[in-house]
Amino acid sequence: FDDVPQSYWAYASIEAIAAAGITGGCGGGNYCPTSNVTRAQMAVFLLRGIYGSAYIPPTASGTMFNDVPKTAFAADWIEQLALEGITGGCGSGNYCPDSNITRAQMAVFLLRALYDSAYFPPTATGTMFSDVPKTAFAAAWIEQLVREGITGGCGTGIYCPDAPVKRDQMAVFLARTFDLLP
């Protein structure tokens, strides 16, 4: 990608997910590493990570989520992600496809994609990150991501659960989750 030099911190992961066919970038020969990842984009990334680059989900009905008509970007992917139990949406019958995915939401998505919809991590301790008490949304999922070696947080002793996930970060998460790095 023109906007990701070999010296870029996430270069290896970005190249790995591109080689695996999880992403083709953001257009024009670019990857847009510092752009946020939307929930719609996440659906595509996850299903390609699970099934490979040739995977094409069934056609969407357009009736699963109030805010995802069958003609919406990634509608097929979003509905399949829900059918597989990886997501239930964002509440009130919606998926929020254009919303940025948070680091907390991403933890749940990645582990359900890695294992299956029935997977639940061990109870959170609340001691891994100062900004993720054991009662926080997705605390158990976040702590399990650390145990799996998928993340170490966003800084010294913090995870930043409400921060949006950037495309460079997502490349690292996906490459580690689906074991795409040499």
Side-chain angles (χ1 to χ4, degrees):
F1 296 106
D2 295 335
D3 59 349
V4 184
Q6 288 184 357
S7 59
Y8 193 74
W9 73 272
Y11 175 82
S13 295
I14 292 168
E15 290 293 310
I17 68 168
I22 292 175
T23 185
C26 62
N30 292 315
Y31 180 73
C32 304
T34 59
S35 294
N36 294 335
V37 177
T38 67
R39 290 172 55 88
Q41 292 167 337
M42 186 72 189
V44 178
F45 290 156
L46 289 175
L47 289 172
R48 283 189 179 157
I50 294 168
Y51 297 114
S53 63
Y55 177 74
I56 299 173
T59 302
S61 67
T63 60
M64 188 170 288
F65 295 107
N66 300 327
D67 58 351
V68 183
K70 67 184 191 175
T71 57
F73 167 72
D76 301 346
W77 302 87
I78 292 166
E79 286 194 12
Q80 187 60 36
L81 201 68
L83 288 171
E84 295 196 15
I86 296 173
T87 184
C90 63
S92 301
N94 295 314
Y95 180 76
C96 305
D98 299 324
S99 294
N100 296 326
I101 189 158
T102 67
R103 290 174 56 89
Q105 293 166 345
M106 182 256 338
V108 178
F109 280 153
L110 287 175
L111 289 172
R112 283 200 174 147
L114 181 60
Y115 296 112
D116 62 40
S117 62
Y119 175 78
F120 284 94
T123 303
T125 64
T127 61
M128 283 191 184
F129 299 107
S130 62
D131 60 348
V132 183
K134 66 181 180 180
T135 57
F137 168 72
W141 302 88
I142 292 165
E143 289 185 9
Q144 187 61 30
L145 273 189
V146 174
R147 287 186 211 98
E148 301 268 345
I150 296 170
T151 188
C154 65
T156 306
I158 59 173
Y159 180 77
C160 307
D162 298 323
V165 177
K166 305 288 184 191
R167 289 175 58 90
D168 52 9
Q169 297 166 344
M170 183 53 61
V172 174
F173 293 138
L174 291 168
R176 289 178 178 169
T177 298
F178 296 114
D179 199 23
L180 300 174
L181 294 170

